[in-house]
Amino acid sequence: MPMIDELAIAYEECGPPAPAGTVVLVHAAVADMRMWHHQFRGLAERYRVIRYDWRGHGRSGDPDREVSHHEDLLAVMDALKVERAALAGCSMGGAYAVEAALAAPDRVAGLALICSGLSGHVWPQEMLEQARERVHSSVPAERLARYRAGSAGHVDPADAQAMAEAHTLWQVAGPGRDRDALPDTVWEEAVDMCRLMFERSWSGPRAPERYLDPPAAGRLHEVAAPTLVINGLSDVPGIQEVSGLLADGIPGARRIDLPETGHLPPLERPVEVTEALTTFLREAVFSPETGCRTPEAPRRA
């Protein structure tokens, strides 16, 4: 288990004895590494596949100082002796993958950016207002302010559940779809990961986050790695706009639009996403190779 600033980072890895390359999966802010279950198993037939939890997410420890998630990503690669890898990131996980590709281009063999964020991008006011109306209103304003400040002292499980359900409906299903658009298993897994995220982030003061400087939003033309952009056509429009920026701004980027798909395609459309990643890695990043071994249990430092 890698150690980053004396903080335990939980991870899993799987792959054949002689992998064709290494792939690192970087989860969304509303999730943890469980969202990659299908891709983790499927890609490991050919590649060494690593998935991990950000600080403050899943099984990883809580941050106690400033966080730079793209530096954490590179540090995970260092700790696992990965010199070069393809990075697949969803939501803000995609933003951190782009930052890593700009900070250390020689270490990134390829990028798969799924419903990705982008550091330095200013979200449209309409999107922020929609989030307030559809998501933040699910918890009384005074309590939500205390949670965000880390001064509540206790997180009411009902508040975390309500916020997780509202956020999943708005973003994972998408603002134009209802609860029934997601299969029960997808809904339950997405809500559970999101609930845990809120419980963790509300339990104490948030650590400040440091992004790449200068920010990635003005530097997409510098990305040299082969890039695949996957967009969910039912995702929040403001997030879909970022998919367009990435596809247009990164030289040679490929784009795939998935119909009737919200913010977490790896969870909602697992087969399609795994197939798209497999094709991209085979054609644009690595040469094909087969074989798989049984993955080890999650480990922690």
Side-chain angles (χ1 to χ4, degrees):
M1 168 58 60
M3 293 291 291
I4 303 172
D5 294 339
E6 301 181 352
L7 180 70
I9 297 292
Y11 74 93
E12 297 178 348
E13 64 174 302
C14 179
T22 300
V23 182
V24 181
L25 305 173
V26 192
H27 65 75
V30 295
D32 53 53
M33 67 172 157
R34 289 176 289 171
M35 67 167 283
W36 296 111
H37 179 72
H38 193 278
Q39 295 73 41
F40 180 67
R41 304 285 179 165
L43 296 177
E45 294 179 3
R46 290 189 175 125
Y47 308 107
R48 181 188 182 192
V49 184
I50 297 164
R51 61 178 177 176
Y52 71 99
D53 286 328
W54 304 358
R55 303 184 192 224
H57 287 251
R59 299 185 181 100
S60 290
D62 290 318
D64 59 359
R65 65 193 73 179
E66 182 182 70
V67 176
S68 173
H69 285 293
H70 82 272
E71 291 180 359
D72 280 358
L73 168 55
L74 294 170
V76 167
M77 291 172 61
D78 287 341
L80 295 177
K81 296 180 171 53
V82 177
E83 293 185 5
R84 196 161 183 262
L87 309 179
C90 184
S91 188
M92 284 307 295
Y96 303 140
V98 171
E99 288 189 318
L102 290 169
D106 58 321
R107 304 197 63 187
V108 179
L111 287 172
L113 308 174
I114 306 172
C115 297
S116 183
L118 177 63
S119 63
H121 175 72
V122 179
W123 296 112
Q125 190 62 33
E126 180 182 358
M127 174 179 163
L128 300 179
E129 291 175 357
Q130 193 175 81
R132 282 193 290 269
E133 294 172 2
R134 298 198 182 193
V135 181
H136 305 162
S137 62
S138 60
V139 174
E142 291 185 5
R143 273 210 306 276
L144 182 58
R146 291 197 298 272
Y147 287 146
R148 287 175 164 172
S151 60
H154 168 72
V155 176
D156 186 335
D159 286 342
Q161 181 71 19
M163 184 71 90
E165 291 182 356
H167 202 290
T168 299
L169 180 61
W170 174 64
Q171 195 176 68
V172 181
R177 298 197 295 173
D178 57 24
R179 159 68 182 84
D180 293 337
L182 296 178
D184 288 345
T185 55
V186 172
W187 172 265
E188 291 163 4
E189 290 173 11
V191 168
D192 185 63
M193 290 188 290
C194 193
R195 175 191 55 76
L196 178 60
M197 181 273 293
F198 283 121
E199 287 179 352
R200 294 281 295 275
S201 65
W202 289 349
S203 296
R206 287 188 179 183
E209 184 172 350
R210 175 169 48 83
Y211 296 97
L212 187 68
D213 186 23
R219 301 174 57 188
L220 294 179
H221 63 282
E222 298 177 29
V223 176
T227 300
L228 172 67
V229 176
I230 298 179
N231 175 61
L233 288 173
S234 296
D235 199 359
V236 176
I239 298 174
Q240 293 195 57
E241 290 176 10
V242 172
S243 292
L245 294 174
L246 294 168
D248 293 340
I250 297 176
R254 308 178 182 187
R255 174 171 176 166
I256 295 175
D257 290 306
L258 297 177
E260 295 298 319
T261 304
H263 191 57
L264 296 182
L267 191 65
E268 185 182 358
R269 305 288 181 215
V271 174
E272 293 93 329
V273 171
T274 301
E275 289 178 349
L277 293 177
T278 299
T279 300
F280 171 66
L281 293 170
R282 182 181 66 246
E283 293 181 351
V285 184
F286 301 121
S287 60
E289 199 163 314
T290 59
C292 188
R293 62 179 173 81
T294 303
E296 300 177 12
R299 291 167 285 177
R300 292 192 58 176

